[in-house]
Amino acid sequence: MNAKIKIDCGKPSEHTVNPYLFGHFVEDIRDHMEAMLAFPLKDMDFESEAETKTEISGSWTAFTNGRNTRYALEAPAPRHSGRAQRVRVLSDDEAYAGVAQKAALKGPIAYKVRLVARASVELRYVIVEAVDRLSEQSLGQVRIDLTSHNWLEYEAMLPVSRACVDAEVRIYVPAEHPRWIDHVSTGMLWIDHLSLLPEDNVGLVKREVVDMTRDLNAGMMRLAGNYISAYHWEHGVGPDLERPVMYNEAWGGWTSKYFGTDEFIRFCRELQVEPLICVNDGSGTPEEAAQWIEYCNGGIDTPMGARRAANGYPEPYNVRYWEIGNEVWGQWQVGTCTADRFAERCISFAQAMKAADPSIILLACGHTNQEWNRTVLDIAGEHFDYLTLHLYHGYGRFGMNRETPSEERYKAMAAYSEWTRQDIHETMARILANPKHAHVKIAITEYNTMYYPNTVRKGLPDEHTLGAAVANAANLNEMLRCSDIVQIGSFSDLVNGWLGGCIRVGDYYADQYCGKVSGWSGLPLTVYGTPTYEVMKLYANRDIRRMLPIETECGSFSVQANKPTPIGLDALPDLDVAACANEDGSVVTVFIVNRSLREVKTELNLEAFQTPGETILHEITGNSADDINSVFAPNLIGCTSRIVPIADWQKGYALRPSSIYALEIKAKHETGGRA
């Protein structure tokens, strides 16, 4: 199959491409925080209920050889949340006793041990030890002397001699501890908190995750999601051990109190990206949202700014972008309501938030349902700057399910950008319909491919495949083509999470309810990127500022939908193409997505461009659209680069099926590429 692409390099767009278009998304959902943060232990505050008859918190187990060791869960230390784990050791047993937890440990490396404990006076010390569960070989241990009968926080360094994916971390009173005679008020150890943190962590985040995220050149990082509508920001600031443990009302389990506002801002600054924070308009109030803004942006002469300074951050964070509402139209959302009720809430939130800082930029919850958008815009459109969309198209729009032949399912996925185009254009028309809200831009604050059905996985997680990368690349092309009004994008999620987090830690797949348990592969420490990670990195690291007009002639494919659709699916172009230039026009970048299942020989014609010099072709491809990176083959799908002579494009260059390309064409003279 042959194709022709013609690019007019002499007509760059008046608008510039916003780097925030290539943003990402952090949400406390399922295993996102567990995978992202560097702590190897769970239930560090003994917050979970006992799962057996023995009163031991969730992820912990008894570690004792004493017949009479007793366990109980009690109230925590003052101002702490969670529970305290009590262990009572009877002297007559002359045994060791404590608690233990399975963990995957890096090594050789030292871990910072943090312990909050108290003990009866005759207990003088405990041992924290890491062992290989298979061989019982000790990987390292440290003695911590208990210096008070009252609650104290202790710190120590635990050297771990080597990596061990099936380790056990133990804290215990050893058998060789001097014994006591009486059994009144003796032999009791209370543990309120126990955590390990590898010394190479970056602001509590895994170094590998930070390094991979830095390579994404994200531009913007969003803190939001379903959980935010029941999240109270004050619970996530201040001394971490004194922060309350909150149940995650959206997703179950516990929210991560160790990654609050200050940690999120530190993460963004480490990556040099702009933070975007979504406020709680579900169970929260305008006053609470305004206080959050004052905490982030207020001077130390303001109440919340003073609170931030007291927490160790005297300089304002100057967070500019704030979002009101996350999927408020959804029945799954805390505080869900009608469009007119949300619009009224939006006004009250916007007024309070702007009073706290008039310079902020506000986003408001939009929808692919244009009746919702019409109401929100007509009532509240004068009060915000961006209307948000969440684009998870899914096979459901095509009436498909897992029984649909794989080739048809792939073609449907490759056509997701057609829905993106319709949703953007309909929303754009709604925005421009009235001058009073014609200033509003679009922020696509969540998007990804979606397998169908989306809560039960029985087979390959399609969100992670090369085919998903093709769909997401085509989505990016559509967002680029509409970048005069679409200025913010947030890929969902950054790490693991509910769909296809583009950075993968360990062997979880997308579903956390019906998938395999963590560690089943024996490779839980492996950190890698999905094919879509390669796409996001490829696009965000190109030198693009202006869009260029293009004309594409190519073959087409059809999608056999099983129900009526509002868009035509009978002749979709094989190639999805977007062309961009840098600021002075000396570099032209052409993003080409071959959505088809066949090779396409492509000719390229550049108009109004100086004689091209070097051309670099970046390619993301594989042997099948179903190819996937995994812990077993983390680099199966990657991005390769090579020089391709311009003459090869003039006579036709073969583009592989289901593949993504970025062609960079540089002018021979760096003084400018436009004629």
Side-chain angles (χ1 to χ4, degrees), residues 160-271:
V160 173
S161 60
R162 61 175 174 83
C164 183
V165 299
D166 191 14
E168 186 169 83
V169 176
R170 302 165 176 171
I171 178 170
Y172 59 96
V173 178
E176 60 270 21
H177 190 289
R179 294 287 142 170
W180 47 97
I181 298 174
D182 197 74
H183 288 314
V184 177
S185 302
T186 57
M188 285 180 279
L189 169 68
W190 289 266
I191 309 167
D192 174 87
H193 171 91
L194 179 63
S195 63
L196 270 62
L197 188 65
E199 60 182 353
D200 70 343
N201 79 91
V202 181
L204 306 184
V205 180
K206 289 182 174 73
R207 175 167 293 279
E208 299 88 344
V209 169
V210 171
D211 289 344
M212 290 192 68
T213 306
R214 185 180 290 111
D215 290 343
L216 284 170
N217 193 27
M220 176 174 276
M221 190 66 64
R222 176 177 183 252
L223 181 69
N226 285 355
Y227 86 104
I228 212 76
S229 292
Y231 178 79
H232 299 286
W233 69 269
E234 289 184 284
H235 295 171
V237 299
D240 55 3
L241 294 180
E242 297 180 14
R243 300 175 187 177
V245 170
M246 294 181 290
Y247 187 76
N248 191 323
E249 295 180 40
W251 300 109
W254 304 102
T255 60
S256 176
K257 70 178 189 177
Y258 295 97
F259 195 78
T261 302
D262 301 311
E263 291 78 18
F264 173 66
I265 297 299
R266 179 175 176 178
F267 183 59
C268 291
R269 289 186 170 176
E270 179 69 34
L271 300 168

Side-chain angles (χ1 to χ4, degrees), residues 381-455:
E382 295 170 278
H383 295 270
F384 57 81
D385 306 286
Y386 286 86
L387 189 68
T388 68
L389 293 177
H390 289 182
L391 302 182
Y392 299 109
H393 301 304
Y395 295 148
R397 279 190 160 182
F398 301 89
M400 294 181 178
N401 56 36
R402 64 171 60 93
E403 304 303 322
T404 305
S406 61
E407 181 174 324
E408 288 303 314
R409 285 190 287 117
Y410 165 77
K411 289 193 291 185
M413 183 181 289
Y416 283 175
S417 58
E418 308 297 323
W419 295 93
T420 297
R421 179 182 301 115
Q422 172 167 291
D423 289 332
I424 291 174
H425 286 186
E426 286 184 349
T427 305
M428 191 184 309
R430 177 54 55 193
I431 288 171
L432 298 176
N434 191 323
K436 78 173 188 177
H437 49 64
H439 67 282
V440 172
K441 305 297 183 184
I442 295 174
I444 301 176
T445 51
E446 293 183 32
Y447 69 95
N448 200 341
T449 56
M450 180 183 282
Y451 182 58
Y452 180 85
N454 74 329
T455 54

Side-chain angles (χ1 to χ4, degrees), residues 460 464-468 531 621-629 636-637:
L460 191 67
H464 302 176
T465 63
L466 176 60
T621 189
N623 294 324
S624 166
D626 290 332
D627 281 351
I628 185 171
N629 291 343
L636 179 65
I637 302 295

